[in-house]
């Protein structure tokens, strides 16, 4: 009633609880209508329009569901793509490097990696191969040095044994020299005793001869 009685509003819209959209539009009395309607009449009628919104609401809901499903599918595809990328370009190369590191840790310095998934992992693979090659050279030189050291220790031990034997021989020679000196002294004593015995025997013979006369 307020819309009908108002002269300023040309249209009115409303939406009912039953999903029906309604509108009222004012039909003004223009100069082309004065032949049928008096000019003093400002409004010659109202145009009422009713439109059911149930189909449109159902379409909008279905469109929203499809949009949500599409968004979820796109998110799942993105996550799957990221996981596949991580598996192929990050996880697998890292596992390969870890396996090679475990081989190096167990003493196999011939372990190498061949990774070309990304620039960073490629550089890491190259530096790892260089590191294992240097470790292999260093290990070989260390083994050679240890062998030479063992040989030198053997020679040193042999020289030490020879030196000890020489010391023992010198001590034995000194003991032999001491024994020789002792023997020479004993021989001189024996010779002196023989001389004494000879002198005594000569004296006894002379005494016997003297007594026989």
């Amino acid at each position: 009633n307020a819309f009908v009685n108002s002269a300023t509003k040309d249209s009115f819209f409303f939406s009912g609880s039953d999903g029906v959209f309604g509108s009222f539009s004012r039909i003004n009395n223009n100069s082309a209508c004065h032949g049928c309607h008096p000019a003093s009449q400002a409004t010659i009628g109202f145009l009422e329009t009713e439109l059911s919104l149930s189909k449109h609401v159902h379409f909008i809901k279905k469109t929203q569901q499809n949009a949500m499903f599409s968004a979820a599918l796109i998110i799942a595809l993105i996550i799957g793509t990221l996981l596949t990328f991580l598996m192929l370009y990050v996880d697998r190369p890292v596992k390969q490097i870890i396996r090679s590191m475990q081989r190096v840790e167990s003493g196999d310095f011939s372990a190498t990696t061949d990774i070309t998934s990304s620039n960073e992992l490629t550089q890491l693979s190259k530096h790892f191969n260089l590191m294992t090659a240097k470790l292999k050279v260093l290990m070989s030189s260390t083994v050679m040095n240890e062998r030479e050291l063992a040989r030198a220790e053997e020679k040193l031990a042999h020289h030490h044994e020879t030196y000890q034997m020489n010391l023992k021989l010198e001590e034995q020679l000194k003991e032999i020299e001491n024994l020789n000196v002792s023997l020479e002294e004993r021989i001189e004593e024996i010779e002196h005793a023989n001389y004494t015995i000879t002198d005594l025997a000569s004296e006894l013979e002379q005494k016997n001869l003297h007594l026989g006369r």
Side-chain angles (χ1 to χ4, degrees):
N1 292 331
F3 170 70
V4 172
N5 296 326
S6 176
T8 59
K9 293 183 178 181
D10 292 332
S11 60
F12 174 74
F13 304 96
F14 70 92
S15 177
S17 59
D18 54 352
V20 176
F21 175 79
S23 68
F24 291 90
S25 299
R26 185 186 303 274
I27 302 175
N28 295 319
N29 188 8
N30 296 323
S31 59
C33 302
H34 290 172
C36 300
H37 302 280
S40 61
Q41 186 179 357
T43 302
I44 59 176
F46 295 93
L47 177 63
E48 181 183 1
T49 305
E50 289 185 357
L51 179 63
S52 177
L53 299 177
S54 59
K55 292 183 179 180
H56 299 282
V57 171
H58 178 71
F59 176 76
I60 291 172
K61 289 182 178 179
K62 192 170 183 180
T63 302
Q64 290 177 347
Q65 291 177 355
N66 291 334
M68 293 176 63
F69 177 76
S70 300
L73 181 61
I74 291 172
I75 292 172
L77 289 174
I78 292 173
I79 293 174
T81 303
L82 289 175
L83 290 176
T84 303
F85 174 79
L86 291 175
M87 288 291 293
L88 293 177
Y89 291 92
V90 178
D91 185 67
R92 186 178 295 177
V94 170
K95 286 183 178 179
Q96 183 180 355
I97 292 176
I98 291 173
R99 286 193 297 267
S100 299
M101 292 176 66
Q102 290 174 349
R103 289 176 59 188
V104 172
E105 184 180 359
S106 63
D108 184 9
F109 295 99
S110 62
T112 57
T113 57
D114 185 14
I115 299 173
T116 58
S117 59
S118 64
N119 293 329
E120 290 79 8
L121 290 175
T122 301
Q123 292 296 323
L124 180 62
S125 176
K126 288 181 179 179
H127 287 293
F128 178 80
N129 293 335
L130 290 174
M131 181 189 70
T132 54
K134 290 181 180 179
L135 285 175
K136 188 175 181 181
V137 172
L138 290 174
M139 184 58 65
S140 299
S141 62
T142 302
V143 171
M144 291 179 63
N145 292 331
E146 287 181 354
R147 289 177 180 175
E148 291 179 356
L149 181 62
R151 292 174 183 173
E153 289 178 351
E154 289 179 358
K155 290 181 180 179
L156 183 62
H158 179 69
H159 289 311
H160 182 70
E161 290 177 357
T162 305
Y163 177 72
Q164 293 294 330
M165 290 177 65
N166 290 330
L167 290 177
K168 289 181 180 179
L169 288 173
E170 289 179 358
E171 291 177 356
Q172 290 177 358
L173 287 173
K174 288 180 179 179
E175 291 177 357
I176 292 170
E177 288 178 356
N178 292 328
L179 288 173
N180 288 331
V181 171
S182 298
L183 287 173
E184 289 177 355
E185 291 177 352
R186 295 290 177 84
I187 290 170
E188 288 179 355
E189 291 177 356
I190 291 170
E191 288 179 352
H192 181 70
N194 286 330
Y195 289 146
T196 304
I197 292 169
T198 303
D199 292 337
L200 291 172
S202 298
E203 290 179 359
L204 286 173
E205 287 180 356
Q206 290 178 0
K207 288 181 179 179
N208 289 330
L209 289 174
H210 181 70
L211 290 173
R213 291 179 181 176

